Amino acid sequence: MRSDVTPAALVRLRWPACGQRPHPSPPTWQHGHVTAATHSTLFPQTPASPDAVLEGLDPEQREVATALHGPVCVLAGAGTGKTRAITHRIAYGVRAGILQPSTVLAVTFTNRAAGEMRGRLRQLGAGGVQARTFHSAALRQLQYFWPKAVGGSMPRLVDRKIQLVSDAAAACRIRLDRGELRDVTGEIEWSKVTQTVPSDYALAAAKAGRETPRAPAEIAQLYAAYEDLKRDRAVIDFEDVLLLTVAVLQDRRDIAEQVRSQYQHFVVDEYQDVSPLQQRLLELWLGERENLCVVGDASQTIYSFTGATPDHLLDFRTRHPGATVVKLVRDYRSTPQVVHLANGLLAQARGRAADHRLELISQRRPGPEPVYTEYSDEPAEAEGAARRIRELIASGVRASEIAILFRTNSQSETYEQALADVGVSYQLRGAERFFDRPEVRKAGIALRAAARFGGNDSLLDDVVDLPSQVRAVLSGEGWTSVPPAGSGAVRERWESLAALVNLAQDFAAARSGATLSDLVAELDERANAQHAPTVEGVTLASLHSAKGLEWDVVFLVGVAEGMMPITYAKTDEQIEEERRLLYVGVTRARQHLHVSWSLSRSPGGRPNRRPSRFLDGLRPGSTATAGRAAAGGPGGVERGFTTPVGAVPRRTQRTPARCRVCGRTLTDAGEMKLMRCEDCPSDMDEGLYERLRDWRAVQAQRSGQPAFCVFTDKTLMAIAEAVPDDEGELARIPGVGVRKLNRYGADVLAICAGQEGVGEEVED
C-alpha cells in the first residue's frame, strides 16, 4: 500500500498512434493473467489475500487501488475499467484492514450501477460496503433522522410528480398539453437540483441559456403552485429528499457529526454528472476531511439538462491542491477502429470539457472498420438494420450482444416493427426490471420451494445435477428446450426463464457441488443488487439510457442533422453535448459499429437531410468542411439494401405519404398505415375487417404471441379499406413487410376475395 503518492497527475506512457497495436507487455496484467478490464468472469473466486485483489490490474488501475489516503481524482475514459479500479481500491483497503467496510460509502447515479458495484465488491470479499445512489443514501439518512430533526413521521414520497404539476397548472388556470407538461416538470426538477427557488427561476433560466417550454414567468408561477400543493398534501418529491437532507445536515451539527462518524471514506462514480445540490450534500458528508475518491470523464457529460455539470470534476485539483490525479486511457472495450472514430469525434470538440479530453489507446486486436450506410427514408433504415441483425444472428452472434441506439425514444417503434418483421427478439432498455417480472418472481418461488422440499417433488426424481434440477422446475413454469415461435409476450416470458436456466449452468460450472439452495441464495443476492442475468434479445435503447453499457455490435441509427445534433440544440454548449452523446454511443461498441442515416423521414419524402456534421472528416468520402458526399462517390459509403431481383418489394413506389381523401401530407405512423387522416371518412369494409380480426386471433393463438405481432389493428383497417387483389397491392400497404407477405399473404388475399375457412386446420 502506498500512502506517499506524488500529488501530481501521473504522466501517460508513450504509446503507438491510435489504431496501432501496442507492443506486448509483460503478462502480469495485460492479456496475460487477467481478464479484460471491463469484464469479469460470471462467478469469480474471491481473491485469497489483499495482494491477490491487485492482481490483474494495469499500472494506472493499481495506482488507483493503492491510493487510499487523501483526495484522489480518477480521470477515466470510456472502456478503461474505472469500475474495476475503484471496486478493487475499496476491496484492497478492506481486505488489508485499512478501511472498515461500514465506514465506506460508494455513491453512483443509477440503481443498476450501484447494484453492479455491490456485486463486484461481494465477489472481491468486501460485501459490507454501502454502494448506493445519492437519492438512496440521502433517503435512508432522512428517514432515520427525521423524528429527531423534525419530529413526527416523514411525509410521503411521490414516485411521479407529473400529476402534481398537472394539478398545479389547473390551479393556475394554465393549460398544458402532454409535451408541455413533461417539459415543465423537467424545468422544476432542474430548478431544484440547481437550488433555484421560484422567484429566481426566470433569471436563472436566462443565465443558463435554457429554452423554456412556456414563458419563464408562467413556469415560475407553476413551480410556486407545485410547491404549495406538495405542502398542502404533505408529500415530498425525489429532489426534496436531497434538499431536506442538506437542510438537516446544515442546521443540525450533532446530526452531521453522527453521519460523519459513520462514513469516513467516500467514493463517487460518474462525478462529471453531479449537480450543484449533490455536490453540496457530498461536502456536508465530508466535513473538513479529504478522504474522497472521485471518478469521471468530462467527455461523457450528457445530462446537463438535469443540472449535471463537469465543473466539479474539472475543478477538483483547485479545491484539493494535494490531490492524486490518475488518468486511465487504456481502452479494453473497443477495437482500434472504434477507438479511432471516438478519438476523432472529440478531436473536433470545443469548450472546457474538450480541453480536458482523454485520448484513448485501444488494447484490443484490430477489428472491422465502422460501416456507414445511407438510406432513402427511416422505414428503409430500420429494415436495413433489422436485416443485418438477422444475418449476424444467423452467423452466430448472440442477440443479447447487439444493440440499436437512437437519439429519442420516439424512434423505437419503427425498429421494433422492423425486428418483428424479420423474426428477431428484442428488449427495450428502461422497461420493467428483470427481477420484477411476474414470471421471474413465480420462478423464484418455485425454485425456493424445490430447494426446501425437493425430496418430495417427482419432477426431481431422475435429475441429479443443478442445471437439470432448474430445467425440471422451470418446465412447470413454461420453460421448454425449444423456444416458442414469434416475438410476443410468450417469447418474452420464455426468454426470462431461459436466462435463469443459463445462469444455473454458469453457476454450476463455477461452483462445483453447488446446490439448488446455493442458487436460490445467489438469485436473492442478485435481486437485491439488481444484477440481472442476460436476456437474449437485441437491445433497443436511447443514447442516454445506454450510458454505462456495452455490446459486441452497435447500430447507431438516425445520425443525421436535426436528430444528431437534435434540432433544439442551438448554443455552442448544447451542440457540444450532442457531440459527447454521439461519443458515448460510439464507445458502447466492442467490435462492430454500424452508423446510418436517412435522407427523409417517410417514404417518398423530400430527401433534404444530410449526415450529422459530427461525421464530417471521419466517414469515408467526407471532409471536415464538406457537406454530404455525392451519391456514388468514393469512400465505401454504403447506400443501404436494395430489393433482390424477383422479390416483392416492401413498397413498390416511394411516393409522398398523402391522405387519399383530402390530400394532406401524412406524418403520423398510424395515419400513414391507413393512408388517410384519422378524421377523414373511411370506406372500410366492416365485414372484411371482422373476418381479418377473427383470422388474426387464430394465427396469434397458434404462434403463441399477441395478436398485434401478426398485424396491428391499423394494418388490418388499411387492408379492409384497400381490399387488395394481388401481392403487389398488399405489399404497398404499410405494415406488410416481406416476411409477413410470405407468411400470411395468401391467407389475407383469400379472405379479401371472400373465401371462407382460410387459416383453419383440421386436427388429427
Side-chain angles (χ1 to χ4, degrees):
M1 188 275 297
R2 291 182 56 191
S3 59
D4 56 343
V5 180
T6 304
L10 296 178
V11 180
R12 196 181 73 202
L13 302 177
R14 293 186 179 273
W15 286 78
C18 178
Q20 298 181 17
R21 178 72 175 161
H23 295 297
S25 300
T28 53
W29 58 272
Q30 184 180 332
H31 302 301
H33 304 303
V34 63
T35 55
T38 56
H39 292 276
S40 61
T41 54
L42 190 59
F43 298 102
Q45 298 297 318
T46 300
S49 66
D51 287 341
V53 173
L54 302 178
E55 291 179 3
L57 299 181
D58 69 30
E60 292 78 30
Q61 292 171 346
R62 183 180 285 256
E63 195 70 43
V64 174
T66 55
L68 294 171
H69 296 285
V72 178
C73 179
V74 183
L75 301 175
T80 58
K82 67 179 179 63
T83 305
R84 180 186 180 94
I86 59 176
T87 52
H88 281 68
R89 177 183 188 271
I90 295 170
Y92 176 70
V94 169
R95 298 289 299 278
I98 300 167
L99 304 178
Q100 294 300 314
S102 61
T103 67
V104 180
L105 178 59
V107 188
T108 187
F109 282 81
T110 66
N111 289 320
R112 183 197 61 81
E116 180 185 355
M117 194 177 293
R118 286 194 295 271
R120 293 201 192 193
L121 289 169
R122 177 167 60 92
Q123 293 167 351
L124 292 169
V129 174
Q130 292 291 310
R132 298 187 172 277
T133 64
F134 270 102
H135 283 88
S136 172
L139 182 59
R140 281 172 63 90
Q141 293 175 20
L142 194 62
Q143 289 171 330
Y144 182 80
F145 290 112
W146 187 274
K148 180 178 180 180
V150 182
S153 57
M154 199 179 87
R156 179 175 63 87
L157 180 65
V158 293
D159 291 332
R160 297 176 71 249
K161 58 175 68 67
I162 200 161
Q163 184 58 53
L164 273 172
V165 176
S166 177
D167 293 345
C172 296
R173 298 176 184 252
I174 296 175
R175 194 169 190 175
L176 301 176
D177 62 30
R178 184 180 301 177
E180 289 175 323
L181 192 60
R182 182 190 64 244
D183 293 341
V184 168
T185 301
E187 287 303 296
I188 291 174
E189 291 173 348
W190 173 82
S191 300
K192 300 185 79 165
V193 300
T194 55
Q195 303 177 79
T196 301
V197 297
S199 59
D200 295 337
Y201 169 78
L203 183 62
K207 187 176 180 181
R210 296 183 72 82
E211 283 199 16
T212 58
R214 298 290 288 254
E218 279 190 322
I219 295 178
Q221 182 185 3
L222 289 167
Y223 180 14
Y226 169 80
E227 291 298 314
D228 290 340
L229 272 179
K230 284 200 293 96
R231 235 177 344 261
D232 293 343
R233 299 179 184 181
V235 296
I236 59 175
D237 59 28
F238 276 100
E239 288 71 38
D240 290 330
V241 170
L242 299 183
L243 284 164
L244 290 168
T245 305
V246 165
V248 168
L249 295 178
Q250 284 181 160
D251 296 343
R252 293 291 299 267
R253 185 178 182 85
D254 57 328
I255 292 177
E257 290 302 323
Q258 190 173 343
V259 171
R260 291 167 192 159
S261 67
Q262 170 70 51
Y263 296 117
Q264 299 171 19
H265 300 270
F266 296 86
V267 177
V268 183
D269 193 12
E270 305 287 5
Y271 192 56
Q272 77 278 353
D273 289 332
V274 295
S275 68
L277 180 56
Q278 290 165 332
Q279 176 64 22
R280 179 58 186 147
L281 178 59
L282 179 62
E283 291 167 355
L284 288 167
W285 282 340
L286 275 168
E288 300 300 319
R289 300 164 302 172
E290 290 201 318
N291 287 327
L292 171 66
C293 174
V294 301
V295 189
D297 178 10
S299 297
Q300 296 188 66
T301 305
I302 58 173
Y303 296 107
S304 67
F305 61 92
T306 68
T309 171
D311 290 345
H312 305 301
L313 175 67
L314 299 178
D315 293 338
F316 192 83
R317 283 291 298 275
T318 302
R319 296 196 312 276
H320 304 278
T324 298
V325 178
V326 185
K327 293 182 180 180
L328 304 183
V329 295
R330 306 177 200 255
D331 187 321
Y332 298 89
R333 176 187 299 158
S334 304
T335 62
Q337 288 74 17
V338 173
V339 167
H340 180 73
L341 175 57
N343 285 337
L345 282 171
L346 292 187
Q348 300 178 5
R350 294 172 295 184
R352 192 176 182 214
D355 293 339
H356 293 80
R357 65 181 177 270
L358 300 169
E359 185 168 346
L360 301 177
I361 303 165
S362 176
Q363 307 297 294
R364 295 193 56 175
R365 298 182 188 281
E369 292 290 339
V371 176
Y372 301 86
T373 312
E374 181 176 279
Y375 294 93
S376 58
D377 53 65
E378 288 182 6
E381 186 177 5
E383 291 166 19
R387 202 174 303 183
R388 280 185 180 273
I389 288 170
R390 183 177 61 183
E391 293 168 355
L392 286 166
I393 294 173
S395 70
V397 179
R398 294 177 60 181
S400 59
E401 290 298 346
I402 304 173
I404 298 177
L405 306 182
F406 32 74
R407 176 60 179 85
T408 66
N409 287 318
S410 62
Q411 294 168 268
S412 174
E413 182 180 1
T414 304
Y415 290 89
E416 292 177 54
Q417 181 66 54
L419 290 173
D421 282 347
V422 297
V424 172
S425 298
Y426 61 86
Q427 55 180 328
L428 292 174
R429 179 72 188 161
E432 188 177 31
R433 295 191 297 186
F434 180 82
F435 288 103
D436 291 338
R437 297 176 185 176
E439 66 271 18
V440 174
R441 290 200 302 267
K442 286 183 63 180
I445 294 170
L447 289 170
R448 187 171 287 104
R452 188 175 302 171
F453 308 113
N456 299 319
D457 193 336
S458 59
L459 281 173
L460 304 181
D461 285 347
D462 299 323
V463 295
V464 290
D465 64 323
L466 177 59
S468 298
Q469 290 175 332
V470 172
R471 287 193 292 267
V473 172
L474 296 188
S475 65
E477 301 299 322
W479 179 83
T480 56
S481 58
V482 178
S487 58
V490 172
R491 178 60 181 254
E492 289 177 3
R493 287 194 293 271
W494 183 91
E495 296 284 6
S496 297
L497 298 177
L500 294 175
V501 170
N502 293 334
L503 183 71
Q505 293 171 340
D506 293 330
F507 187 68
R511 305 280 174 88
S512 179
T515 66
L516 197 53
S517 295
D518 295 330
L519 177 64
V520 168
E522 174 68 24
L523 289 175
D524 287 341
E525 290 277 3
R526 283 172 166 261
N528 291 332
Q530 284 301 324
H531 184 192
T534 301
V535 176
E536 278 306 315
V538 173
T539 300
L540 296 174
S542 70
L543 287 166
H544 282 99
S545 64
K547 178 79 163 60
L549 303 174
E550 57 188 79
W551 297 269
D552 284 344
V553 186
V554 167
F555 287 78
L556 287 174
V557 299
V559 188
E561 287 291 307
M563 191 61 74
M564 181 59 67
I566 199 77
T567 305
Y568 52 75
K570 303 293 186 184
T571 67
D572 290 343
E573 292 81 3
Q574 291 168 338
I575 296 293
E576 287 307 313
E577 181 149 339
E578 292 289 299
R579 186 194 307 276
R580 294 194 295 270
L581 189 57
L582 182 58
Y583 171 80
V584 166
V586 167
T587 55
R588 300 310 96 193
R590 298 191 192 110
Q591 188 168 6
H592 297 275
L593 179 64
H594 298 258
V595 183
S596 64
W597 59 90
S598 56
L599 299 180
S600 67
R601 177 180 178 183
S602 56
R606 182 179 299 176
N608 56 0
R609 290 179 174 176
R610 63 174 296 269
S612 169
R613 71 191 75 172
F614 300 145
L615 299 178
D616 289 349
L618 299 175
R619 61 185 175 87
S622 70
T623 63
T625 56
R628 179 173 56 83
V637 177
E638 299 182 28
R639 298 298 170 191
F641 293 96
T642 57
T643 304
V645 176
V648 179
R650 180 177 174 95
R651 300 175 184 85
T652 56
Q653 296 180 352
R654 294 195 179 276
T655 54
R658 298 184 184 279
C659 174
R660 55 190 170 80
V661 179
C662 70
R664 184 178 67 85
T665 300
L666 302 175
T667 57
D668 178 76
E671 292 182 341
M672 288 170 64
K673 282 191 176 183
L674 295 175
M675 292 305 294
R676 64 172 175 82
C677 302
E678 194 79 45
D679 297 332
C680 283
S682 169
D683 53 358
M684 182 178 70
D685 183 330
E686 297 285 352
L688 174 58
Y689 177 66
E690 290 304 320
R691 291 195 299 276
L692 287 169
R693 283 175 58 89
D694 292 342
W695 165 84
R696 181 182 66 174
V698 173
Q699 298 299 322
Q701 185 176 14
R702 283 182 189 158
S703 61
Q705 60 184 350
F708 70 83
C709 289
V710 179
F711 284 120
T712 65
D713 285 345
K714 286 287 175 64
T715 300
L716 292 187
M717 290 175 66
I719 294 171
E721 290 182 353
V723 194
D725 291 326
D726 55 41
E727 287 190 344
E729 291 183 9
L730 181 59
R732 282 194 287 273
I733 296 175
V736 181
V738 174
R739 184 181 67 87
K740 291 187 178 182
L741 185 67
N742 293 335
R743 185 172 183 180
Y744 302 126
D747 276 5
V748 171
L749 290 172
I751 295 171
C752 290
Q755 298 179 22
E756 299 296 332
V758 174
E760 302 292 339
E761 291 184 359
V762 178
E763 296 290 333
D764 292 334

